Amino acid sequence: MLIDIPDAGIILVSVLAFLGGLVTLYLYTKIRSSDGAEKIAPTNQERIDFYEKELIDMKIRLDIMELDGESFASSDLPKKKVKSLEKPEMEKQEFVVPKPNTSPRVPNMSFEDSLTRVLKLITNGPMTSRDVEVTFGKSREHVSRLMKKLFEDDFVGRDTSARPYRYTITEKGRGRIGSSEGDVVYAVSQ
C-alpha cells in the first residue's frame, strides 16, 4: 500500500495556518474576556460603598429591633425556640437619621433680575467676582460672564491693579438700580 506524501511546502503552509488559527483564537478569547468583564468606575465604586454601608446599618437596626422583641416575620412561619435569658437593663438608644445639609435654593431669575441683584450687592462695597459668586449663589462661569457684561456696559468699574479684580458700582449702575426700566435691552436665551 503506497501513501502519497504531499510536498513539504504544503505541509508547512498547513501547519502555519493551523498555528495562526490557534493564535487568533487565543487573542480573540483574551480580548473578549477583557471587554466582557465590566470594570467598575471610581464613581460607581463610591456609590456601591455608600449603599453597602447603608445596608449594613439597616441590618444592624433590624437585629436590634428583633432583640427588643419586635418581629417582622409572618405569623404562619414556625418560630425559633430560644432559651430565655435575663436581659440586663440597658438604655434604649434612638437612631436618628441625620438630614442632609441643603442650601437654600436660589430662585430662577431673568437676566434683568440678576443684573439688578448684583448691582445692589456691589452698592454695599467693592467685591470680587468670587464674592459675588458666593453671595449670589450662581456658578463661577455665570458670574464671570455677568460681571464682564456689566463692565462692558459701564455699570461697574474694575480695579485692575490686583487680581482678582475688584468691582465697584458706577453712576450709570446707581442710575440703573434706581430706575425700574433700563435703557438697555438684553436678549436672553434660556
Side-chain angles (χ1 to χ4, degrees), residues 156-173:
V156 295
R158 182 189 292 171
D159 178 18
T160 58
S161 63
R163 285 199 177 226
Y165 299 143
R166 296 188 72 68
Y167 294 94
T168 55
I169 192 162
T170 61
E171 289 304 317
K172 184 177 178 183

Side-chain angles (χ1 to χ4, degrees), residues 4-46:
D4 212 10
I5 298 176
D7 192 22
I10 295 174
I11 294 174
L12 183 62
V13 168
S14 300
V15 169
L16 288 176
F18 178 76
L19 292 176
L22 285 178
V23 169
T24 304
L25 184 61
Y26 174 76
L27 292 174
Y28 175 76
T29 56
K30 285 294 184 185
I31 291 171
R32 178 123 173 135
S33 66
S34 67
D35 288 345
E38 188 174 343
K39 295 180 181 176
I40 299 175
T43 56
N44 291 341
Q45 185 64 39
E46 291 171 6

Side-chain angles (χ1 to χ4, degrees), residues 116-167:
T116 306
R117 187 167 175 203
V118 169
L119 288 175
K120 286 180 181 177
L121 283 174
I122 295 177
T123 302
N124 300 334
M127 298 179 86
T128 64
S129 60
R130 176 69 181 151
D131 297 335
V132 173
E133 175 187 336
V134 170
T135 310
F136 193 46
K138 295 288 186 178
S139 69
R140 180 184 61 82
E141 183 178 356
H142 178 84
V143 171
S144 296
R145 288 182 182 180
L146 182 63
M147 296 310 293
K148 182 179 178 185
K149 185 69 175 162
L150 289 172
F151 177 71
E152 288 173 352
D153 292 343
D154 199 34
F155 288 121
V156 295
R158 182 189 292 171
D159 178 18
T160 58
S161 63
R163 285 199 177 226
Y165 299 143
R166 296 188 72 68
Y167 294 94

Side-chain angles (χ1 to χ4, degrees), residues 62 66 70-79:
L62 183 62
E66 288 178 356
E70 297 177 28
S71 176
F72 297 97
S74 169
S75 59
D76 305 338
L77 298 175
K79 301 207 177 206

